[in-house]
mmCIF file of all heavy atoms in Angstrom:
data_model
loop_
_atom_site.group_PDB
_atom_site.id
_atom_site.type_symbol
_atom_site.label_atom_id
_atom_site.label_comp_id
_atom_site.label_asym_id
_atom_site.label_seq_id
_atom_site.Cartn_x
_atom_site.Cartn_y
_atom_site.Cartn_z
ATOM 1 N N GLU A 4 17.117 -6.023 -24.833
ATOM 2 C CA GLU A 4 15.664 -6.344 -24.893
ATOM 3 C C GLU A 4 15.317 -6.678 -26.326
ATOM 4 O O GLU A 4 15.667 -5.939 -27.247
ATOM 5 C CB GLU A 4 14.864 -5.133 -24.404
ATOM 6 C CG GLU A 4 13.345 -5.360 -24.501
ATOM 7 C CD GLU A 4 12.532 -4.181 -23.894
ATOM 8 O OE1 GLU A 4 13.116 -3.322 -23.214
ATOM 9 O OE2 GLU A 4 11.291 -4.216 -24.026
ATOM 10 N N ALA A 5 14.646 -7.794 -26.497
ATOM 11 C CA ALA A 5 14.196 -8.230 -27.819
ATOM 12 C C ALA A 5 13.018 -7.370 -28.227
ATOM 13 O O ALA A 5 12.008 -7.312 -27.552
ATOM 14 C CB ALA A 5 13.806 -9.720 -27.826
ATOM 15 N N LEU A 6 13.169 -6.686 -29.412
ATOM 16 C CA LEU A 6 12.093 -5.863 -29.929
ATOM 17 C C LEU A 6 11.685 -6.395 -31.303
ATOM 18 O O LEU A 6 12.549 -6.761 -32.066
ATOM 19 C CB LEU A 6 12.523 -4.425 -30.041
ATOM 20 C CG LEU A 6 12.919 -3.735 -28.749
ATOM 21 C CD1 LEU A 6 13.456 -2.309 -29.011
ATOM 22 C CD2 LEU A 6 11.762 -3.654 -27.752
ATOM 23 N N ALA A 61 15.960 -9.820 -22.397
ATOM 24 C CA ALA A 61 14.616 -9.517 -21.924
ATOM 25 C C ALA A 61 13.624 -9.714 -23.091
ATOM 26 O O ALA A 61 13.912 -9.325 -24.245
ATOM 27 C CB ALA A 61 14.565 -8.073 -21.408
ATOM 28 N N VAL A 62 12.427 -10.348 -22.762
ATOM 29 C CA VAL A 62 11.445 -10.595 -23.801
ATOM 30 C C VAL A 62 10.130 -10.058 -23.229
ATOM 31 O O VAL A 62 9.748 -10.373 -22.108
ATOM 32 C CB VAL A 62 11.352 -12.077 -24.082
ATOM 33 C CG1 VAL A 62 10.172 -12.374 -25.039
ATOM 34 C CG2 VAL A 62 12.618 -12.607 -24.763
ATOM 35 N N ASN A 63 9.430 -9.270 -24.034
ATOM 36 C CA ASN A 63 8.077 -8.768 -23.601
ATOM 37 C C ASN A 63 7.062 -9.867 -23.873
ATOM 38 O O ASN A 63 7.022 -10.480 -24.940
ATOM 39 C CB ASN A 63 7.700 -7.521 -24.484
ATOM 40 C CG ASN A 63 8.679 -6.399 -24.267
ATOM 41 O OD1 ASN A 63 8.653 -5.739 -23.237
ATOM 42 N ND2 ASN A 63 9.597 -6.203 -25.223
ATOM 43 N N LEU A 64 6.237 -10.098 -22.840
ATOM 44 C CA LEU A 64 5.250 -11.159 -22.923
ATOM 45 C C LEU A 64 3.870 -10.542 -22.965
ATOM 46 O O LEU A 64 3.523 -9.712 -22.087
ATOM 47 C CB LEU A 64 5.441 -12.078 -21.680
ATOM 48 C CG LEU A 64 4.967 -13.477 -21.802
ATOM 49 C CD1 LEU A 64 5.740 -14.244 -22.869
ATOM 50 C CD2 LEU A 64 5.121 -14.190 -20.443
ATOM 51 N N GLU A 95 9.187 -9.763 -19.389
ATOM 52 C CA GLU A 95 8.617 -8.458 -19.039
ATOM 53 C C GLU A 95 7.106 -8.567 -19.153
ATOM 54 O O GLU A 95 6.594 -8.868 -20.222
ATOM 55 C CB GLU A 95 9.153 -7.347 -19.939
ATOM 56 C CG GLU A 95 10.658 -7.211 -19.837
ATOM 57 C CD GLU A 95 11.180 -5.934 -20.535
ATOM 58 O OE1 GLU A 95 10.351 -5.217 -21.103
ATOM 59 O OE2 GLU A 95 12.376 -5.714 -20.539
ATOM 60 N N LEU A 96 6.455 -8.253 -18.015
ATOM 61 C CA LEU A 96 5.001 -8.266 -17.996
ATOM 62 C C LEU A 96 4.495 -6.855 -17.651
ATOM 63 O O LEU A 96 5.113 -6.187 -16.817
ATOM 64 C CB LEU A 96 4.536 -9.236 -16.920
ATOM 65 C CG LEU A 96 4.822 -10.719 -17.182
ATOM 66 C CD1 LEU A 96 5.004 -11.494 -15.918
ATOM 67 C CD2 LEU A 96 3.758 -11.285 -18.067
ATOM 68 N N ASP A 125 6.961 -4.288 -16.552
ATOM 69 C CA ASP A 125 7.282 -3.335 -17.590
ATOM 70 C C ASP A 125 6.366 -2.153 -17.413
ATOM 71 O O ASP A 125 5.241 -2.219 -16.885
ATOM 72 C CB ASP A 125 7.032 -4.007 -18.963
ATOM 73 C CG ASP A 125 7.896 -3.395 -20.049
ATOM 74 O OD1 ASP A 125 8.701 -2.486 -19.731
ATOM 75 O OD2 ASP A 125 7.753 -3.838 -21.183
ATOM 76 N N ASP A 126 6.811 -0.965 -17.888
ATOM 77 C CA ASP A 126 5.990 0.251 -17.869
ATOM 78 C C ASP A 126 5.468 0.537 -16.475
ATOM 79 O O ASP A 126 4.321 0.977 -16.312
ATOM 80 C CB ASP A 126 4.815 0.176 -18.864
ATOM 81 C CG ASP A 126 5.227 -0.215 -20.259
ATOM 82 O OD1 ASP A 126 6.384 0.085 -20.608
ATOM 83 O OD2 ASP A 126 4.426 -0.839 -20.963
ATOM 84 N N LYS A 146 10.570 -1.888 -14.163
ATOM 85 C CA LYS A 146 11.045 -0.986 -15.223
ATOM 86 C C LYS A 146 10.231 0.275 -15.194
ATOM 87 O O LYS A 146 9.020 0.255 -15.429
ATOM 88 C CB LYS A 146 10.911 -1.734 -16.587
ATOM 89 C CG LYS A 146 11.801 -2.983 -16.653
ATOM 90 C CD LYS A 146 11.908 -3.544 -18.036
ATOM 91 C CE LYS A 146 12.780 -2.680 -18.893
ATOM 92 N NZ LYS A 146 13.114 -3.320 -20.226
ATOM 93 N N GLU A 182 13.417 3.352 -18.083
ATOM 94 C CA GLU A 182 13.240 3.235 -19.548
ATOM 95 C C GLU A 182 13.274 4.624 -20.204
ATOM 96 O O GLU A 182 12.925 5.637 -19.572
ATOM 97 C CB GLU A 182 11.821 2.680 -19.832
ATOM 98 C CG GLU A 182 11.574 1.300 -19.233
ATOM 99 C CD GLU A 182 10.189 0.756 -19.584
ATOM 100 O OE1 GLU A 182 9.190 1.384 -19.246
ATOM 101 O OE2 GLU A 182 10.115 -0.338 -20.183
ATOM 102 N N GLN A 202 17.948 2.206 -19.698
ATOM 103 C CA GLN A 202 17.995 1.846 -21.159
ATOM 104 C C GLN A 202 17.462 3.036 -21.893
ATOM 105 O O GLN A 202 16.763 3.905 -21.308
ATOM 106 C CB GLN A 202 17.202 0.582 -21.421
ATOM 107 C CG GLN A 202 15.711 0.652 -21.216
ATOM 108 C CD GLN A 202 14.978 -0.607 -21.576
ATOM 109 O OE1 GLN A 202 15.181 -1.647 -20.893
ATOM 110 N NE2 GLN A 202 14.143 -0.556 -22.612
HETATM 111 MN MN1 MN B 1 9.705 -3.861 -22.449
#
Side-chain angles (χ1 to χ4, degrees):
E4 177 173 352
L6 300 174
V62 173
N63 297 286
L64 205 62
E95 299 190 0
L96 293 153
D125 208 1
D126 309 330
K146 298 192 72 171
E182 300 182 302
Q202 67 178 65

